Amino acid sequence: MPLSLVLEAQQRGSTGYVDRAVRCRLSDHGGDDHYGLLTELDTYGAALWLRWHGTETALLALPDCPVTGPGPGGEGCCLFADHPEAHTWQHAPEVTSYAS
Ligand SMILES: [Zn+2]
Ligand SMILES: [Zn+2]
């Protein structure tokens, strides 16, 4: 992940810490757009995501996915609102890492 993006994410995030080893959080998917969680934002219920497609990257501030698993006390989804593919409580994430 480019250092400039790491620095920007650190400035925008609430913790000041960003893991540079970003992993795609989507379940196994066909498209080439990958989404990795970078850090929580000060805004409640929102987080900063890295979207990458090959070597093209973008920082996105996205609201959390509000959909929870079935039943009382259902598991929350760890993705963002309107994400493609399945909710995280439906499928384990794929293991695609951003390699720069
Ligand atoms: Zn992916
Ligand atoms: Zn979801």
mmCIF file of all heavy atoms in Angstrom, residues 48-91:
data_model
loop_
_atom_site.group_PDB
_atom_site.id
_atom_site.type_symbol
_atom_site.label_atom_id
_atom_site.label_comp_id
_atom_site.label_asym_id
_atom_site.label_seq_id
_atom_site.Cartn_x
_atom_site.Cartn_y
_atom_site.Cartn_z
ATOM 1 N N LEU A 48 -12.884 3.840 7.363
ATOM 2 C CA LEU A 48 -12.125 4.185 6.166
ATOM 3 C C LEU A 48 -11.684 2.895 5.476
ATOM 4 O O LEU A 48 -11.072 2.023 6.096
ATOM 5 C CB LEU A 48 -10.911 5.023 6.565
ATOM 6 C CG LEU A 48 -10.223 5.805 5.449
ATOM 7 C CD1 LEU A 48 -11.194 6.826 4.827
ATOM 8 C CD2 LEU A 48 -9.002 6.513 5.996
ATOM 9 N N TRP A 49 -12.012 2.815 4.210
ATOM 10 C CA TRP A 49 -11.710 1.612 3.443
ATOM 11 C C TRP A 49 -10.745 1.923 2.313
ATOM 12 O O TRP A 49 -10.754 3.022 1.766
ATOM 13 C CB TRP A 49 -13.003 1.042 2.844
ATOM 14 C CG TRP A 49 -13.919 0.467 3.873
ATOM 15 C CD1 TRP A 49 -14.772 1.164 4.685
ATOM 16 C CD2 TRP A 49 -14.066 -0.909 4.221
ATOM 17 N NE1 TRP A 49 -15.439 0.291 5.510
ATOM 18 C CE2 TRP A 49 -15.031 -0.978 5.252
ATOM 19 C CE3 TRP A 49 -13.481 -2.093 3.751
ATOM 20 C CZ2 TRP A 49 -15.414 -2.195 5.825
ATOM 21 C CZ3 TRP A 49 -13.868 -3.298 4.316
ATOM 22 C CH2 TRP A 49 -14.819 -3.341 5.337
ATOM 23 N N LEU A 50 -9.957 0.934 1.986
ATOM 24 C CA LEU A 50 -9.119 1.021 0.792
ATOM 25 C C LEU A 50 -9.764 0.151 -0.274
ATOM 26 O O LEU A 50 -10.046 -1.023 -0.050
ATOM 27 C CB LEU A 50 -7.709 0.497 1.071
ATOM 28 C CG LEU A 50 -6.792 0.448 -0.154
ATOM 29 C CD1 LEU A 50 -6.324 1.851 -0.530
ATOM 30 C CD2 LEU A 50 -5.582 -0.442 0.096
ATOM 31 N N ARG A 51 -10.050 0.756 -1.416
ATOM 32 C CA ARG A 51 -10.510 -0.036 -2.546
ATOM 33 C C ARG A 51 -9.361 -0.124 -3.531
ATOM 34 O O ARG A 51 -8.720 0.870 -3.839
ATOM 35 C CB ARG A 51 -11.715 0.630 -3.224
ATOM 36 C CG ARG A 51 -12.277 -0.233 -4.369
ATOM 37 C CD ARG A 51 -13.349 0.485 -5.124
ATOM 38 N NE ARG A 51 -12.809 1.657 -5.790
ATOM 39 C CZ ARG A 51 -13.546 2.682 -6.200
ATOM 40 N NH1 ARG A 51 -14.826 2.692 -6.004
ATOM 41 N NH2 ARG A 51 -12.974 3.713 -6.792
ATOM 42 N N TRP A 52 -9.067 -1.314 -3.977
ATOM 43 C CA TRP A 52 -8.013 -1.414 -4.989
ATOM 44 C C TRP A 52 -8.431 -2.331 -6.112
ATOM 45 O O TRP A 52 -9.247 -3.226 -5.955
ATOM 46 C CB TRP A 52 -6.690 -1.844 -4.360
ATOM 47 C CG TRP A 52 -6.564 -3.280 -3.943
ATOM 48 C CD1 TRP A 52 -6.076 -4.315 -4.702
ATOM 49 C CD2 TRP A 52 -6.875 -3.847 -2.660
ATOM 50 N NE1 TRP A 52 -6.065 -5.464 -3.968
ATOM 51 C CE2 TRP A 52 -6.545 -5.218 -2.720
ATOM 52 C CE3 TRP A 52 -7.393 -3.325 -1.480
ATOM 53 C CZ2 TRP A 52 -6.730 -6.072 -1.632
ATOM 54 C CZ3 TRP A 52 -7.582 -4.177 -0.391
ATOM 55 C CH2 TRP A 52 -7.250 -5.529 -0.477
ATOM 56 N N HIS A 53 -7.855 -2.014 -7.255
ATOM 57 C CA HIS A 53 -8.138 -2.743 -8.483
ATOM 58 C C HIS A 53 -6.804 -2.773 -9.209
ATOM 59 O O HIS A 53 -6.380 -1.755 -9.750
ATOM 60 C CB HIS A 53 -9.208 -1.983 -9.291
ATOM 61 C CG HIS A 53 -9.614 -2.679 -10.544
ATOM 62 N ND1 HIS A 53 -10.929 -2.773 -10.936
ATOM 63 C CD2 HIS A 53 -8.892 -3.323 -11.481
ATOM 64 C CE1 HIS A 53 -10.986 -3.456 -12.079
ATOM 65 N NE2 HIS A 53 -9.766 -3.785 -12.431
ATOM 66 N N GLY A 54 -6.116 -3.901 -9.149
ATOM 67 C CA GLY A 54 -4.751 -3.920 -9.632
ATOM 68 C C GLY A 54 -3.919 -2.999 -8.766
ATOM 69 O O GLY A 54 -3.901 -3.142 -7.555
ATOM 70 N N THR A 55 -3.276 -2.003 -9.378
ATOM 71 C CA THR A 55 -2.483 -1.067 -8.585
ATOM 72 C C THR A 55 -3.222 0.248 -8.365
ATOM 73 O O THR A 55 -2.690 1.172 -7.771
ATOM 74 C CB THR A 55 -1.142 -0.768 -9.287
ATOM 75 O OG1 THR A 55 -1.426 -0.296 -10.600
ATOM 76 C CG2 THR A 55 -0.265 -2.002 -9.356
ATOM 77 N N GLU A 56 -4.458 0.343 -8.861
ATOM 78 C CA GLU A 56 -5.255 1.558 -8.630
ATOM 79 C C GLU A 56 -5.886 1.488 -7.253
ATOM 80 O O GLU A 56 -6.531 0.498 -6.906
ATOM 81 C CB GLU A 56 -6.375 1.640 -9.661
ATOM 82 C CG GLU A 56 -6.045 2.462 -10.866
ATOM 83 C CD GLU A 56 -7.198 2.409 -11.859
ATOM 84 O OE1 GLU A 56 -8.319 2.760 -11.480
ATOM 85 O OE2 GLU A 56 -6.949 1.993 -12.996
ATOM 86 N N THR A 57 -5.712 2.545 -6.472
ATOM 87 C CA THR A 57 -6.251 2.529 -5.125
ATOM 88 C C THR A 57 -7.074 3.778 -4.862
ATOM 89 O O THR A 57 -6.872 4.819 -5.482
ATOM 90 C CB THR A 57 -5.116 2.487 -4.085
ATOM 91 O OG1 THR A 57 -4.243 3.581 -4.319
ATOM 92 C CG2 THR A 57 -4.361 1.182 -4.164
ATOM 93 N N ALA A 58 -7.990 3.667 -3.933
ATOM 94 C CA ALA A 58 -8.799 4.812 -3.511
ATOM 95 C C ALA A 58 -9.149 4.659 -2.048
ATOM 96 O O ALA A 58 -9.399 3.548 -1.578
ATOM 97 C CB ALA A 58 -10.067 4.895 -4.350
ATOM 98 N N LEU A 59 -9.148 5.786 -1.326
ATOM 99 C CA LEU A 59 -9.595 5.788 0.061
ATOM 100 C C LEU A 59 -11.067 6.176 0.083
ATOM 101 O O LEU A 59 -11.460 7.159 -0.521
ATOM 102 C CB LEU A 59 -8.807 6.816 0.882
ATOM 103 C CG LEU A 59 -7.385 6.476 1.285
ATOM 104 C CD1 LEU A 59 -6.838 7.588 2.156
ATOM 105 C CD2 LEU A 59 -7.325 5.164 2.020
ATOM 106 N N LEU A 60 -11.860 5.414 0.806
ATOM 107 C CA LEU A 60 -13.290 5.684 0.858
ATOM 108 C C LEU A 60 -13.765 5.674 2.299
ATOM 109 O O LEU A 60 -13.484 4.722 3.039
ATOM 110 C CB LEU A 60 -14.061 4.607 0.077
ATOM 111 C CG LEU A 60 -13.678 4.381 -1.383
ATOM 112 C CD1 LEU A 60 -14.344 3.118 -1.895
ATOM 113 C CD2 LEU A 60 -14.092 5.561 -2.225
ATOM 114 N N ALA A 61 -14.484 6.713 2.688
ATOM 115 C CA ALA A 61 -15.130 6.728 3.999
ATOM 116 C C ALA A 61 -16.536 6.192 3.809
ATOM 117 O O ALA A 61 -17.348 6.795 3.110
ATOM 118 C CB ALA A 61 -15.168 8.138 4.551
ATOM 119 N N LEU A 62 -16.810 5.035 4.391
ATOM 120 C CA LEU A 62 -18.084 4.374 4.129
ATOM 121 C C LEU A 62 -18.802 4.029 5.432
ATOM 122 O O LEU A 62 -18.167 3.658 6.419
ATOM 123 C CB LEU A 62 -17.831 3.070 3.349
ATOM 124 C CG LEU A 62 -17.185 3.226 1.974
ATOM 125 C CD1 LEU A 62 -16.744 1.876 1.443
ATOM 126 C CD2 LEU A 62 -18.162 3.882 1.015
ATOM 127 N N PRO A 63 -20.134 4.135 5.435
ATOM 128 C CA PRO A 63 -20.902 3.733 6.618
ATOM 129 C C PRO A 63 -20.884 2.213 6.777
ATOM 130 O O PRO A 63 -20.737 1.477 5.797
ATOM 131 C CB PRO A 63 -22.318 4.236 6.309
ATOM 132 C CG PRO A 63 -22.380 4.357 4.823
ATOM 133 C CD PRO A 63 -20.979 4.654 4.355
ATOM 134 N N ASP A 64 -21.015 1.763 8.007
ATOM 135 C CA ASP A 64 -21.019 0.328 8.268
ATOM 136 C C ASP A 64 -22.257 -0.332 7.672
ATOM 137 O O ASP A 64 -23.320 0.273 7.603
ATOM 138 C CB ASP A 64 -21.011 0.068 9.778
ATOM 139 C CG ASP A 64 -19.726 0.568 10.426
ATOM 140 O OD1 ASP A 64 -18.733 0.749 9.699
ATOM 141 O OD2 ASP A 64 -19.732 0.752 11.656
ATOM 142 N N CYS A 65 -22.111 -1.582 7.305
ATOM 143 C CA CYS A 65 -23.259 -2.365 6.834
ATOM 144 C C CYS A 65 -24.189 -2.597 8.022
ATOM 145 O O CYS A 65 -23.769 -3.063 9.066
ATOM 146 C CB CYS A 65 -22.785 -3.698 6.264
ATOM 147 S SG CYS A 65 -24.145 -4.769 5.752
ATOM 148 N N PRO A 66 -25.478 -2.237 7.871
ATOM 149 C CA PRO A 66 -26.413 -2.350 8.994
ATOM 150 C C PRO A 66 -27.049 -3.722 9.119
ATOM 151 O O PRO A 66 -27.822 -3.964 10.050
ATOM 152 C CB PRO A 66 -27.467 -1.294 8.632
ATOM 153 C CG PRO A 66 -27.487 -1.277 7.137
ATOM 154 C CD PRO A 66 -26.090 -1.635 6.672
ATOM 155 N N VAL A 67 -26.754 -4.622 8.202
ATOM 156 C CA VAL A 67 -27.454 -5.904 8.187
ATOM 157 C C VAL A 67 -26.795 -6.892 9.148
ATOM 158 O O VAL A 67 -25.595 -7.143 9.062
ATOM 159 C CB VAL A 67 -27.465 -6.500 6.756
ATOM 160 C CG1 VAL A 67 -28.283 -7.778 6.721
ATOM 161 C CG2 VAL A 67 -28.004 -5.484 5.773
ATOM 162 N N THR A 68 -27.595 -7.444 10.037
ATOM 163 C CA THR A 68 -27.066 -8.432 10.970
ATOM 164 C C THR A 68 -27.612 -9.807 10.647
ATOM 165 O O THR A 68 -28.599 -9.956 9.921
ATOM 166 C CB THR A 68 -27.425 -8.072 12.420
ATOM 167 O OG1 THR A 68 -28.838 -7.870 12.499
ATOM 168 C CG2 THR A 68 -26.714 -6.811 12.867
ATOM 169 N N GLY A 69 -26.971 -10.804 11.194
ATOM 170 C CA GLY A 69 -27.374 -12.186 10.956
ATOM 171 C C GLY A 69 -28.745 -12.471 11.523
ATOM 172 O O GLY A 69 -29.285 -11.687 12.313
ATOM 173 N N PRO A 70 -29.352 -13.591 11.103
ATOM 174 C CA PRO A 70 -30.706 -13.925 11.534
ATOM 175 C C PRO A 70 -30.765 -14.259 13.023
ATOM 176 O O PRO A 70 -29.768 -14.663 13.612
ATOM 177 C CB PRO A 70 -31.047 -15.151 10.684
ATOM 178 C CG PRO A 70 -29.730 -15.744 10.307
ATOM 179 C CD PRO A 70 -28.764 -14.594 10.238
ATOM 180 N N GLY A 71 -31.932 -14.068 13.602
ATOM 181 C CA GLY A 71 -32.148 -14.426 14.996
ATOM 182 C C GLY A 71 -31.762 -13.330 15.946
ATOM 183 O O GLY A 71 -31.072 -12.388 15.565
ATOM 184 N N PRO A 72 -32.205 -13.452 17.195
ATOM 185 C CA PRO A 72 -31.849 -12.455 18.210
ATOM 186 C C PRO A 72 -30.354 -12.513 18.505
ATOM 187 O O PRO A 72 -29.765 -13.598 18.534
ATOM 188 C CB PRO A 72 -32.670 -12.876 19.432
ATOM 189 C CG PRO A 72 -33.020 -14.305 19.205
ATOM 190 C CD PRO A 72 -33.033 -14.528 17.723
ATOM 191 N N GLY A 73 -29.747 -11.356 18.656
ATOM 192 C CA GLY A 73 -28.314 -11.320 18.905
ATOM 193 C C GLY A 73 -27.515 -11.756 17.698
ATOM 194 O O GLY A 73 -26.415 -12.284 17.824
ATOM 195 N N GLY A 74 -28.096 -11.560 16.513
ATOM 196 C CA GLY A 74 -27.415 -11.962 15.281
ATOM 197 C C GLY A 74 -26.095 -11.245 15.120
ATOM 198 O O GLY A 74 -25.932 -10.102 15.539
ATOM 199 N N GLU A 75 -25.179 -11.932 14.497
ATOM 200 C CA GLU A 75 -23.831 -11.397 14.299
ATOM 201 C C GLU A 75 -23.870 -10.175 13.378
ATOM 202 O O GLU A 75 -24.599 -10.164 12.390
ATOM 203 C CB GLU A 75 -23.008 -12.498 13.626
ATOM 204 C CG GLU A 75 -21.551 -12.519 14.003
ATOM 205 C CD GLU A 75 -20.842 -13.620 13.225
ATOM 206 O OE1 GLU A 75 -21.377 -14.731 13.111
ATOM 207 O OE2 GLU A 75 -19.753 -13.337 12.713
ATOM 208 N N GLY A 76 -23.097 -9.150 13.686
ATOM 209 C CA GLY A 76 -23.031 -7.978 12.816
ATOM 210 C C GLY A 76 -22.135 -8.245 11.615
ATOM 211 O O GLY A 76 -21.254 -9.095 11.660
ATOM 212 N N CYS A 77 -22.403 -7.505 10.533
ATOM 213 C CA CYS A 77 -21.571 -7.620 9.339
ATOM 214 C C CYS A 77 -20.404 -6.651 9.475
ATOM 215 O O CYS A 77 -20.559 -5.532 9.944
ATOM 216 C CB CYS A 77 -22.395 -7.292 8.108
ATOM 217 S SG CYS A 77 -21.481 -7.328 6.563
ATOM 218 N N CYS A 78 -19.208 -7.077 9.103
ATOM 219 C CA CYS A 78 -18.005 -6.237 9.259
ATOM 220 C C CYS A 78 -17.706 -5.419 8.008
ATOM 221 O O CYS A 78 -16.643 -4.815 7.910
ATOM 222 C CB CYS A 78 -16.799 -7.113 9.574
ATOM 223 S SG CYS A 78 -17.043 -8.141 11.023
ATOM 224 N N LEU A 79 -18.624 -5.418 7.054
ATOM 225 C CA LEU A 79 -18.379 -4.666 5.824
ATOM 226 C C LEU A 79 -19.107 -3.331 5.852
ATOM 227 O O LEU A 79 -19.642 -2.924 6.867
ATOM 228 C CB LEU A 79 -18.822 -5.504 4.619
ATOM 229 C CG LEU A 79 -17.926 -6.723 4.347
ATOM 230 C CD1 LEU A 79 -18.584 -7.652 3.351
ATOM 231 C CD2 LEU A 79 -16.575 -6.270 3.843
ATOM 232 N N PHE A 80 -19.112 -2.658 4.714
ATOM 233 C CA PHE A 80 -19.735 -1.339 4.600
ATOM 234 C C PHE A 80 -21.103 -1.481 3.945
ATOM 235 O O PHE A 80 -21.403 -2.496 3.323
ATOM 236 C CB PHE A 80 -18.833 -0.427 3.760
ATOM 237 C CG PHE A 80 -18.361 -1.073 2.480
ATOM 238 C CD1 PHE A 80 -19.092 -0.956 1.319
ATOM 239 C CD2 PHE A 80 -17.188 -1.835 2.469
ATOM 240 C CE1 PHE A 80 -18.675 -1.576 0.146
ATOM 241 C CE2 PHE A 80 -16.754 -2.455 1.300
ATOM 242 C CZ PHE A 80 -17.506 -2.326 0.142
ATOM 243 N N ALA A 81 -21.916 -0.437 4.083
ATOM 244 C CA ALA A 81 -23.264 -0.459 3.533
ATOM 245 C C ALA A 81 -23.228 -0.643 2.017
ATOM 246 O O ALA A 81 -22.373 -0.096 1.328
ATOM 247 C CB ALA A 81 -23.988 0.829 3.890
ATOM 248 N N ASP A 82 -24.147 -1.425 1.510
ATOM 249 C CA ASP A 82 -24.285 -1.676 0.071
ATOM 250 C C ASP A 82 -23.059 -2.335 -0.545
ATOM 251 O O ASP A 82 -22.760 -2.112 -1.716
ATOM 252 C CB ASP A 82 -24.604 -0.368 -0.680
ATOM 253 C CG ASP A 82 -25.917 0.248 -0.213
ATOM 254 O OD1 ASP A 82 -26.851 -0.520 0.078
ATOM 255 O OD2 ASP A 82 -25.984 1.485 -0.115
ATOM 256 N N HIS A 83 -22.342 -3.113 0.247
ATOM 257 C CA HIS A 83 -21.179 -3.806 -0.311
ATOM 258 C C HIS A 83 -21.629 -4.901 -1.269
ATOM 259 O O HIS A 83 -22.735 -5.421 -1.146
ATOM 260 C CB HIS A 83 -20.337 -4.403 0.825
ATOM 261 C CG HIS A 83 -21.101 -5.385 1.671
ATOM 262 N ND1 HIS A 83 -21.294 -6.694 1.298
ATOM 263 C CD2 HIS A 83 -21.718 -5.244 2.866
ATOM 264 C CE1 HIS A 83 -21.995 -7.310 2.233
ATOM 265 N NE2 HIS A 83 -22.282 -6.459 3.200
ATOM 266 N N PRO A 84 -20.745 -5.236 -2.220
ATOM 267 C CA PRO A 84 -21.044 -6.378 -3.087
ATOM 268 C C PRO A 84 -20.792 -7.671 -2.319
ATOM 269 O O PRO A 84 -20.188 -7.646 -1.241
ATOM 270 C CB PRO A 84 -20.048 -6.224 -4.240
ATOM 271 C CG PRO A 84 -18.901 -5.473 -3.644
ATOM 272 C CD PRO A 84 -19.480 -4.587 -2.567
ATOM 273 N N GLU A 85 -21.258 -8.757 -2.854
ATOM 274 C CA GLU A 85 -21.009 -10.089 -2.271
ATOM 275 C C GLU A 85 -21.733 -10.280 -0.942
ATOM 276 O O GLU A 85 -22.556 -9.467 -0.543
ATOM 277 C CB GLU A 85 -19.503 -10.358 -2.105
ATOM 278 C CG GLU A 85 -18.685 -10.129 -3.366
ATOM 279 C CD GLU A 85 -19.132 -10.990 -4.546
ATOM 280 O OE1 GLU A 85 -19.561 -12.130 -4.323
ATOM 281 O OE2 GLU A 85 -19.058 -10.504 -5.685
ATOM 282 N N ALA A 86 -21.398 -11.363 -0.258
ATOM 283 C CA ALA A 86 -22.133 -11.769 0.937
ATOM 284 C C ALA A 86 -21.699 -10.991 2.170
ATOM 285 O O ALA A 86 -20.617 -10.424 2.209
ATOM 286 C CB ALA A 86 -21.919 -13.262 1.165
ATOM 287 N N HIS A 87 -22.582 -10.977 3.174
ATOM 288 C CA HIS A 87 -22.219 -10.396 4.463
ATOM 289 C C HIS A 87 -21.182 -11.294 5.135
ATOM 290 O O HIS A 87 -21.115 -12.494 4.866
ATOM 291 C CB HIS A 87 -23.453 -10.263 5.355
ATOM 292 C CG HIS A 87 -24.519 -9.398 4.742
ATOM 293 N ND1 HIS A 87 -24.356 -8.042 4.579
ATOM 294 C CD2 HIS A 87 -25.736 -9.704 4.241
ATOM 295 C CE1 HIS A 87 -25.453 -7.550 3.999
ATOM 296 N NE2 HIS A 87 -26.296 -8.540 3.788
ATOM 297 N N THR A 88 -20.407 -10.697 6.032
ATOM 298 C CA THR A 88 -19.312 -11.482 6.631
ATOM 299 C C THR A 88 -19.829 -12.613 7.513
ATOM 300 O O THR A 88 -19.118 -13.579 7.742
ATOM 301 C CB THR A 88 -18.374 -10.582 7.463
ATOM 302 O OG1 THR A 88 -19.139 -9.809 8.387
ATOM 303 C CG2 THR A 88 -17.577 -9.644 6.567
ATOM 304 N N TRP A 89 -21.064 -12.489 8.011
ATOM 305 C CA TRP A 89 -21.587 -13.593 8.812
ATOM 306 C C TRP A 89 -22.125 -14.714 7.935
ATOM 307 O O TRP A 89 -22.514 -15.767 8.429
ATOM 308 C CB TRP A 89 -22.655 -13.108 9.807
ATOM 309 C CG TRP A 89 -23.626 -12.099 9.261
ATOM 310 C CD1 TRP A 89 -23.547 -10.740 9.379
ATOM 311 C CD2 TRP A 89 -24.806 -12.359 8.505
ATOM 312 N NE1 TRP A 89 -24.619 -10.151 8.738
ATOM 313 C CE2 TRP A 89 -25.405 -11.105 8.207
ATOM 314 C CE3 TRP A 89 -25.426 -13.540 8.060
ATOM 315 C CZ2 TRP A 89 -26.590 -10.999 7.473
ATOM 316 C CZ3 TRP A 89 -26.607 -13.431 7.331
ATOM 317 C CH2 TRP A 89 -27.178 -12.168 7.044
ATOM 318 N N GLN A 90 -22.155 -14.492 6.624
ATOM 319 C CA GLN A 90 -22.582 -15.549 5.710
ATOM 320 C C GLN A 90 -21.391 -16.366 5.201
ATOM 321 O O GLN A 90 -21.497 -17.545 4.938
ATOM 322 C CB GLN A 90 -23.320 -14.952 4.502
ATOM 323 C CG GLN A 90 -24.690 -14.385 4.843
ATOM 324 C CD GLN A 90 -25.323 -13.687 3.655
ATOM 325 O OE1 GLN A 90 -24.697 -12.817 3.043
ATOM 326 N NE2 GLN A 90 -26.556 -14.048 3.340
ATOM 327 N N HIS A 91 -20.274 -15.699 5.023
ATOM 328 C CA HIS A 91 -19.098 -16.358 4.446
ATOM 329 C C HIS A 91 -17.828 -15.841 5.104
ATOM 330 O O HIS A 91 -17.747 -14.659 5.420
ATOM 331 C CB HIS A 91 -18.990 -16.077 2.947
ATOM 332 C CG HIS A 91 -20.014 -16.788 2.129
ATOM 333 N ND1 HIS A 91 -19.963 -18.135 1.885
ATOM 334 C CD2 HIS A 91 -21.127 -16.328 1.517
ATOM 335 C CE1 HIS A 91 -21.018 -18.475 1.149
ATOM 336 N NE2 HIS A 91 -21.735 -17.404 0.907
#
